[in-house]
Amino acid sequence: MATIHFLTLFVIVTSSMLTVTMANKDWPSFGNFNYTDWWSRFGNHNHQINKTEQEPKKIIVGGSQNWHFGYNYSDWAIKTGPFYLNDTLVFKYDAPNATSFPHSVYMFQTWRSFKNCDIKRAKKLANHTQGVGEGFKFLLNKWKPYYLACGEKNGLHCNIGQMKFTVIPMLRPLWPSWP
Ligand SMILES: *[C@@H]1O[C@H](CO)[C@@H](O)[C@H](O)[C@H]1NC(C)=O
Ligand SMILES: *[C@@H]1O[C@H](CO)[C@@H](O)[C@H](O)[C@H]1NC(C)=O
Ligand SMILES: *[C@@H]1O[C@H](CO)[C@@H](O)[C@H](O)[C@H]1NC(C)=O
Ligand SMILES: *[C@@H]1O[C@H](CO)[C@@H](O)[C@H](O)[C@H]1NC(C)=O
Ligand SMILES: *[C@@H]1O[C@H](CO)[C@@H](O)[C@H](O)[C@H]1NC(C)=O
Ligand SMILES: *[C@@H]1O[C@H](CO)[C@@H](O)[C@H](O)[C@H]1NC(C)=O
Ligand SMILES: [Cu+2]
């Protein structure tokens, strides 16, 4: 890792030097070369590591849709990602009442059981009431695929209801944006 980052820095330094050199009409004298000005390229905009962007985020599953039957969560995950290590997924769903169905959060251990919505092989992470209020928070702290789904009606919410998705949290890049 350290080698790669050092190399990246080396490439930036070299290419920036080249740009400055070519832009400098007085080359090769370097008479009016301003190091402060040159160095400020790194202090500015895209080159700097933005600490706010590096911090782990809380992501509400489904966004404003929350966690409900019939929304395409695989599609949501693809469009919302990438997710990063130490990000937190927040599942929000109301407690069941006379007119609404309950939801829950389950995790499969394998792609196969995820694909088949085999709830019997899944582990319950959150029950019917844990999605209320602030929601159920789930920390993505391992570098592995997380196979998540709603566990209701023996896989019906997972299957027909599309309440299933996969995330593989990534390591945050050291240089988040490239000019
Ligand atoms: C070098 O550039 C900096 C930033 O643009 C400026 O503040 C400074 O006055 C310049 N120095 C010289 C010697 O031109
Ligand atoms: C860092 O990124 C965040 C979110 O994109 C932005 O709101 C903030 O202004 C940035 N800060 C700096 C110092 O660029
Ligand atoms: C849900 O979204 C995924 C990914 O975009 C897509 O492959 C799939 O066909 C969608 N499912 C339905 C039922 O529309
Ligand atoms: C995630 O958080 C743990 C505990 O705070 C920390 O030890 C670890 O370095 C973090 N990992 C990343 C990739 O930020
Ligand atoms: C039942 O829950 C649904 C969905 O959360 C809500 O829209 C509805 O108002 C609730 N009904 C009653 C009678 O509380
Ligand atoms: C759901 O889990 C919470 C927290 O573990 C617990 O307090 C609550 O009694 C459980 N509710 C049901 C319906 O099992
Ligand atoms: Cu459900």
Side-chain angles (χ1 to χ4, degrees):
M1 270 329 254
T3 318
I4 294 167
H5 294 148
F6 185 78
L7 262 171
T8 314
L9 183 65
F10 178 76
V11 169
I12 292 164
V13 169
T14 321
S15 59
S16 297
M17 271 177 155
L18 197 65
T19 317
V20 170
T21 308
M22 310 240 275
N24 190 337
K25 296 229 165 43
D26 294 334
W27 192 82
S29 86
F30 279 103
N32 56 4
F33 187 85
N34 184 335
Y35 280 96
T36 314
D37 206 19
W38 178 78
W39 188 247
S40 73
R41 283 163 169 267
F42 299 98
N44 281 344
H45 43 266
N46 294 325
H47 291 296
Q48 197 180 41
I49 299 164
N50 184 328
K51 288 283 194 290
T52 315
E53 275 177 11
Q54 294 287 304
E55 278 165 13
K57 297 191 169 40
K58 282 197 175 70
I59 301 132
I60 296 171
V61 176
S64 60
Q65 292 278 330
N66 293 345
W67 188 230
H68 72 79
F69 192 95
Y71 184 68
N72 191 338
Y73 288 92
S74 296
D75 192 51
W76 170 84
I78 292 165
K79 287 177 177 153
T80 309
F83 301 92
Y84 294 101
L85 278 166
N86 286 353
D87 279 352
T88 298
L89 294 177
V90 184
F91 293 83
K92 289 190 166 188
Y93 50 96
D94 291 325
N97 61 29
T99 57
S100 77
F101 291 112
H103 300 291
S104 54
V105 183
Y106 280 67
M107 181 162 67
F108 301 98
Q109 297 306 320
T110 65
W111 162 255
R112 196 185 163 82
S113 52
F114 169 76
K115 190 168 65 81
N116 298 329
C117 287
D118 191 356
I119 298 296
K120 287 188 291 295
R121 290 178 190 274
K123 181 184 159 198
K124 189 200 270 183
L125 300 179
N127 66 26
H128 296 171
T129 54
Q130 280 172 280
V132 174
E134 294 284 286
F136 168 68
K137 296 188 184 68
F138 184 67
L139 179 64
L140 302 168
N141 59 356
K142 293 198 181 74
W143 188 54
K144 63 161 201 174
Y146 288 91
Y147 304 114
L148 302 161
C150 179
E152 298 312 298
K153 301 270 184 202
N154 193 30
L156 186 83
H157 283 217
C158 171
N159 255 318
I160 313 290
Q162 300 180 71
M163 300 180 78
K164 64 185 291 197
F165 64 99
T166 313
V167 290
I168 305 173
M170 311 198 314
L171 201 61
R172 285 189 188 278
L174 189 57
W175 300 94
S177 45
W178 193 252

